[in-house]
């Protein structure tokens, strides 16, 4: 069974960036609404943090800390034998359909026991068209 796991972030994107890129384990990466160079090592977390700060969306909401990003893990069913290219197509289409006005970084791994590719989709909390926070 495929799985979509949502995780809320309440800090800078630096931690999720380090987790997703450590030890060179990322197979590939894709971006929506982020002008990223081709070379590895591009700090997309800093771009997201700057955008969020510019819109003041890194401030608490009442007495609750700001949700600064959403991290979704798209894990295909092992029986579907999804290739990395197929997963990239799926993840990009899903992100475009659901988060077309947000900065999105997608990082692909196959670091599980079965070496099955999965996608980490990180969505910044700021809607670029309205300046409002992400409501999901």
């Amino acid at each position: 069974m495929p799985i979509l796991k949502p995780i809320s972030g309440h800090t800078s994107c630096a931690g999720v960036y380090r987790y997703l890129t450590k030890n060179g384990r990322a197979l590939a990466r894709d971006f929506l609404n982020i002008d990223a160079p081709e070379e590895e090592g591009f700090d997309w977390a800093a771009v997201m943090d700057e955008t969020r700060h510019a819109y003041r969306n890194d401030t608490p909401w009442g007495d609750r800390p700001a949700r600064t990003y959403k991290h979704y893990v798209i894990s295909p069913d092992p029986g579907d034998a999804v290739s990395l290219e197929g997963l990239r197509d799926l993840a990009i289409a899903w992100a475009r359909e659901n988060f077309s006005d947000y900065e999105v970084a997608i990082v692909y791994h196959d670091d599980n026991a079965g070496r099955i590719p999965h996608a980490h989709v990180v969505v910044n909390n700021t809607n670029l068209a309205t300046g409002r926070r992400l409501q999901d």
Side-chain angles (χ1 to χ4, degrees), residues 48-98:
M48 288 185 177
D49 289 345
E50 288 172 17
T51 298
R52 196 171 46 257
H53 183 72
Y55 284 88
R56 301 203 50 189
N57 285 338
D58 53 358
T59 59
W61 184 255
D63 61 345
R64 298 170 49 186
R67 180 179 59 188
T68 51
Y69 64 89
K70 285 293 277 201
H71 174 186
Y72 298 91
V73 182
I74 301 174
S75 298
D77 186 312
D80 290 339
V82 174
S83 67
L84 176 60
E85 292 75 26
L87 179 60
R88 288 180 85 169
D89 291 343
L90 172 68
I92 292 168
W94 181 80
R96 278 193 180 125
E97 181 177 331
N98 293 284

Side-chain angles (χ1 to χ4, degrees), residues 13-130:
C13 290
V16 71
Y17 173 84
R18 280 191 305 273
Y19 169 74
L20 295 176
T21 60
K22 73 178 176 183
N23 300 326
R25 65 185 180 159
L27 300 173
R29 63 198 181 119
D30 291 306
F31 300 98
L32 299 178
N33 299 315
I34 296 175
D35 189 22
E38 291 295 317
E39 64 268 1
E40 293 297 317
F42 169 67
D43 190 355
W44 49 263
V47 172
M48 288 185 177
D49 289 345
E50 288 172 17
T51 298
R52 196 171 46 257
H53 183 72
Y55 284 88
R56 301 203 50 189
N57 285 338
D58 53 358
T59 59
W61 184 255
D63 61 345
R64 298 170 49 186
R67 180 179 59 188
T68 51
Y69 64 89
K70 285 293 277 201
H71 174 186
Y72 298 91
V73 182
I74 301 174
S75 298
D77 186 312
D80 290 339
V82 174
S83 67
L84 176 60
E85 292 75 26
L87 179 60
R88 288 180 85 169
D89 291 343
L90 172 68
I92 292 168
W94 181 80
R96 278 193 180 125
E97 181 177 331
N98 293 284
F99 305 107
S100 62
D101 290 333
Y102 295 85
E103 293 171 326
V104 178
I106 308 171
V107 180
Y108 305 90
H109 289 165
D110 69 350
D111 55 357
N112 49 36
R115 308 301 296 179
I116 300 160
H118 55 281
H120 295 267
V121 181
V122 180
V123 181
N124 200 9
N125 84 339
T126 301
N127 183 305
L128 299 171
T130 66

